[in-house]
Amino acid sequence: MKRCPSLVDAGRRSFLTGAGLATAGAAAATVLPAQAKAAPALALVKYPASRLANLKDLTVNEPHNVAYPDVNAPGVLLKLGTRVPGGAGPDGDIVGFTTLCPHKGFLLTYSTGDKTLNCPGHYSRFDCEKGGQQIWGQATQNLPQYALRVDAKGDIYAEGVDELIYGRLSNVL
Amino acid sequence: MAYKRQIGQLPIIPANATVHNVVCHYCIVGCGYKAYSWDARYEGGTAPGENAFSVDLSRQQPAETAAWYAPSMYNIVKQNGRDVHIVIKPDKACVVNSGLGSVRGARIAEMSYSRQRNTQLQRLTDPQVWRYGQLQPTSWDDALDLVARVTAAVIAEQGEDGLFVSAFDHGGSGGGYENTWGTGKLYFGAMKVKNIRIHNRPAYNSEVHGSRDMGVGELNNCYEDAELADTLVAVGTNAMETQTNYFLNHWVPNLRGTSLDKKKTEFGNEPVAKARIVIVDPRRTVTVNACEVEAGKENVLHLALNSGTDLILFNAWLTYAAEKGWIDKAFIAASTKDFDKALAANTVSVADAARATGLSEADIVKAVTWIAEPKAGGARRRTMFAYEKGLIWGNDNYRTNQALVNLALATGNVGRPGGGCVRMGGHQEGYCRPSDAFVGRPAAYVDKLLIEGKGGVHHIWGCDHYKTTLNAMAFKRAYKMRTDLVKDAMASVPYGDRDAMVAAIMGAIRKGGLFSVDVDIVPTHIGEAAHVMLPAATSGEMNLTSMNGERRMRLTERYMDPPGQAMPDCLIAARIANHMERVLRAAGKAEAADKFKGFDWKTEEDAFMDGYAKNEKGGGFVTYDRLRAMGTNGFQEPATAYTDGKIVGTKRLFADGKFNKPDGKAVFAETRWRGLQAPGKQAEKDKFAFLINNGRANLVWQSAYLDVENELVMDRWPYPFIEMNPQDMGELGLKSGDLVEVYNENGSTQAMAYPTPTAKRKETFMLFGFPTGVQGNVVSAGVNEYVIPNYKQTWGNIRKIADAPEGVRHLTFKSKEYPA
């Protein structure tokens, strides 16, 4: 894998573009107010079901860039070529991951040689064939992976993420 | 599948959260963190005015943001009896780590005791005593009465030499100035206990006697020196895994060339370039890999020498540098003595060194050229020498340590910017005790004496010999037998009859039994043998002071309650002293009882003021209030003044060219090469097929005692890995993850095979000190003349036990190296 020194900056830029998209509505008050109304909230994040690609868009061992749950959360779809635990699609070999390193948020790059995602910031490595398990590194999470569904037309949908994505305290902003 | 938390959101830190200073209590580096806590019933909001960061959290935050925290940095704990949310995240303003969190420190919150979120429920909450065939909870007074009575009875029969002690001597968790003073005042002040050992070695000794005896204290530089050096020399240190953020935040900028401006500012017209690095290590580590990625292979010289041959390499470097005139004659004349004598004794040719080390002559010369050849214009090359367990726990510790310091002194690299000859360190430091001079040198080989049946009572403080000592299998066998004798005797009388109980225990001790008192925060493996377990508080559950590898002292503030009745070690020591005084006085021994006066501390701050403030150099300038105000940057010891509301510290030791000797002159040492020094090592090497090199790993470094209950860690390392060359694995019929037995004449243990193409044939590396496979079982009892263990030079055979068990099958066994 060739190391690209501009990756980190590219990662930063991608955060900034479209940053105005999410302006959440009224948020809960911080300081305890003297009087407040009870407001129900869900226990879990409600994920969108987003079409990320179609089966025919994927080539074995070539990363297909996507974003999920929104445009500011870069990720990747991979057709690994061999069936893996949690793999989607007819061959059970399609997986999707965030590409923001859960350590410091640097953009991960894919190594076709051993099917890993690697962080140029502090050398963390994640195995795409093992559910994003950190092979070695600084992150205190394994790599957030997408819950994928493939429909009859071959459209690939992401419907959830199994760990917190770097840079957001709610996976859905 | 890999472990996932299924956490999609975290509570937001409100703007009014309480903030405490925290220093990571795991490794020596002591990264700065902040603990944010607030009442459990609410949280902040995404609007800038509603959170602690004053930023809009409804937007994605950029890389390296301060406004994010991982699930591992969050928990719910008790604070003054109330439930609070807590977030413990790295502090950007700390000069040590600049906001970086290691894979250990970034789990401090998750590794805290939380009944609310079921983390670390293994923590000890009550004093426990052996009652009705198992450990049962009791009150502090009941447990300490038993401890004091048995201890006093043993001392009455055997003298103070009948009391054996194993105690931490470091900073960070389980240590700190408060707790080393508490235990030190008890065993070296009130008593004079000489059968005492330290947590990771079988005697009471320094790991770096060699350097200290030359007048060169071992933590003599500052972390910035790694940014300023022309050349870094790393001996037996795998810094990226075991001093992670020191490496990432201070070595990497120099290897990348991003500290050049700092060099120019510091050194004016002196020629500067990005660093080159010489790494002396039989194994290719991830540190070597990262250095190559950052500096380019042409600037990294990895000398993969034959295990244990470092000393002859250093002597050859010294010889060569002296021949070339690449030495600092003015410094040698002004600040040292015995250079000529040492040089004459240590002279070794490059050819001889090449033969012993297995390195090429060209590489040996290239390395010393990088180290010592003057720069353009004749400026002295600035070289920083760093070493750790590869040297400290390696062959001929004392002399090898001295041989490296010889070279650093000869090249004028101690006390100067961009220099230093330093150990990298394990825990933080936090040593403050009355003099240990009466212990003598060599100190008693405590493990050996315990195996031989000596002593009647054993007090253990934050040590787990079953996991982290040498000759561990033989030790465990003997220890279990001796403590079982006492357990059986205790079962023969009613617990409530204290006189009969003490009599029964003493009867068993006279037959070779041993009464074991274990003070710890968790139920350790050696705790299986204990008759009394006393629950201690850890960092953050008490105020705790320590210093890091550049002598940077900080106060970690108490941010949560200790579990149950747990207390700081210093107060446990004080309460033991109180009970000893009472028991001795009741027995009519007023003079002995009086020695236990002076332990009326109510808080850890009392212990700090009694110990550090009165006894350590510059201690008079230091108080909790002042440290609190100095935040996570603290000051570098020793303190020299308190000016303008700040404690003034010392950036580098020996900057004035005066060393720790009566005449201020550092002394060069004679360090002749004598092969594998520890008894039995050469024969073991000749007899067994595999080098069982061993050491630590990123994920569990100085945190394994809590990691055993951490899902992320135990998912990755359910068993200790043993890195093996794939061809060796093939010959033994091994697949990735298979369980193997490692065995020799010392004992046997188990590990999980990890194929490692960069591993040399017949040279393995096993994770040290891991609970599910104790490497120390196969380490021989052989030590150096000062009873320093030699863990690294161990040889054994390997055979398959079983295919990878269920907990291993989902694991990745890909290379740990970053693909450049």
Side-chain angles (χ1 to χ4, degrees), chain B residues 26-89:
Chain B
Y26 300 127
C27 94
I28 175 85
V29 179
C31 294
Y33 285 74
K34 293 279 188 190
Y36 298 81
S37 54
W38 70 98
D39 202 276
R41 70 190 189 284
Y42 73 105
E43 63 175 310
T46 54
E50 296 174 346
N51 61 66
F53 312 114
S54 303
V55 302
D56 181 357
L57 292 176
S58 68
R59 298 182 182 201
Q60 171 77 36
Q61 303 302 310
E64 301 184 279
T65 181
W68 186 75
Y69 35 97
S72 63
M73 301 179 199
Y74 168 78
N75 214 335
I76 298 176
V77 298
K78 287 274 186 203
Q79 190 181 74
N80 302 319
R82 290 177 67 84
D83 285 355
V84 295
H85 297 281
I86 193 159
V87 171
I88 304 177
K89 56 189 286 300

Side-chain angles (χ1 to χ4, degrees), chain B residues 89-377:
Chain B
K89 56 189 286 300
D91 181 10
K92 271 209 163 187
C94 177
V95 295
V96 173
N97 54 313
S98 303
L100 287 174
S102 72
V103 71
R104 304 164 302 273
R107 290 187 286 118
I108 293 173
E110 188 175 74
M111 301 238 280
S112 296
Y113 178 73
S114 172
R115 293 181 64 202
Q116 300 83 344
R117 294 182 77 241
N118 298 331
T119 54
Q120 296 298 328
L121 295 184
Q122 58 163 338
R123 287 289 304 276
L124 302 176
T125 56
D126 297 274
Q128 291 176 289
V129 294
W130 190 260
R131 199 168 69 209
Y132 320 131
Q134 58 183 300
L135 284 172
Q136 309 264 17
T138 191
S139 66
W140 276 107
D141 278 343
D142 180 59
L144 294 180
D145 178 73
L146 184 62
V147 170
R149 286 196 195 211
V150 174
T151 302
V154 167
I155 290 173
E157 283 194 18
Q158 303 187 13
E160 285 180 349
D161 289 355
L163 168 58
F164 277 58
V165 176
S166 299
F168 55 78
D169 73 334
H170 52 74
S173 63
Y177 289 111
E178 294 78 4
N179 297 328
T180 60
W181 176 250
T183 47
K185 189 172 180 179
L186 178 62
Y187 298 115
F188 293 168
M191 294 182 271
K192 292 279 182 267
V193 171
K194 82 174 195 302
N195 288 325
I196 178 169
R197 58 161 274 173
I198 296 170
H199 59 286
N200 62 3
R201 51 194 189 272
Y204 204 84
N205 47 18
S206 166
E207 292 174 323
V208 288
H209 271 322
S211 184
R212 290 183 187 177
D213 286 354
M214 296 168 73
V216 181
E218 69 276 12
L219 296 176
N220 46 59
N221 76 354
C222 59
Y223 282 178
E224 192 184 64
D225 284 322
E227 300 175 51
L228 298 174
D230 294 306
T231 302
L232 296 157
V233 180
V235 177
T237 165
N238 176 19
M240 191 158 84
E241 298 204 71
T242 54
Q243 291 83 20
T244 308
N245 290 331
Y246 176 26
F247 179 83
L248 294 175
N249 203 32
H250 301 280
W251 290 40
V252 166
N254 199 358
L255 296 164
R256 269 183 191 164
T258 51
S259 65
L260 274 176
D261 285 344
K262 200 175 251 188
K263 291 185 178 185
K264 285 173 188 158
T265 305
E266 184 91 14
F267 303 136
N269 292 327
E270 185 178 314
V272 291
K274 71 177 187 178
R276 293 188 293 197
I277 183 165
V278 177
I279 300 171
V280 182
D281 194 322
R283 175 177 70 126
R284 181 178 166 87
T285 60
V286 288
T287 300
V288 177
N289 169 228
C291 288
E292 288 178 354
V293 168
E294 296 301 344
K297 286 187 179 180
E298 67 280 11
N299 292 312
V300 179
L301 183 54
H302 174 211
L303 300 178
L305 75 182
N306 292 332
S307 176
T309 60
D310 311 55
L311 187 154
I312 193 168
L313 174 67
F314 305 157
N315 281 351
W317 282 346
L318 180 72
T319 307
Y320 192 90
E323 280 169 10
K324 288 281 181 185
W326 295 344
I327 54 174
D328 190 336
K329 288 180 182 142
F331 174 81
I332 292 169
S335 295
T336 72
K337 60 187 184 192
D338 294 348
F339 175 72
D340 292 335
K341 202 167 111 189
L343 181 63
N346 302 344
T347 292
V348 166
S349 71
V350 170
D352 283 349
R355 253 190 306 280
T357 59
L359 302 171
S360 73
E361 293 185 35
D363 275 351
I364 294 174
V365 170
K366 184 177 177 184
V368 70
T369 306
W370 286 12
I371 290 168
E373 184 186 43
K375 299 193 276 188

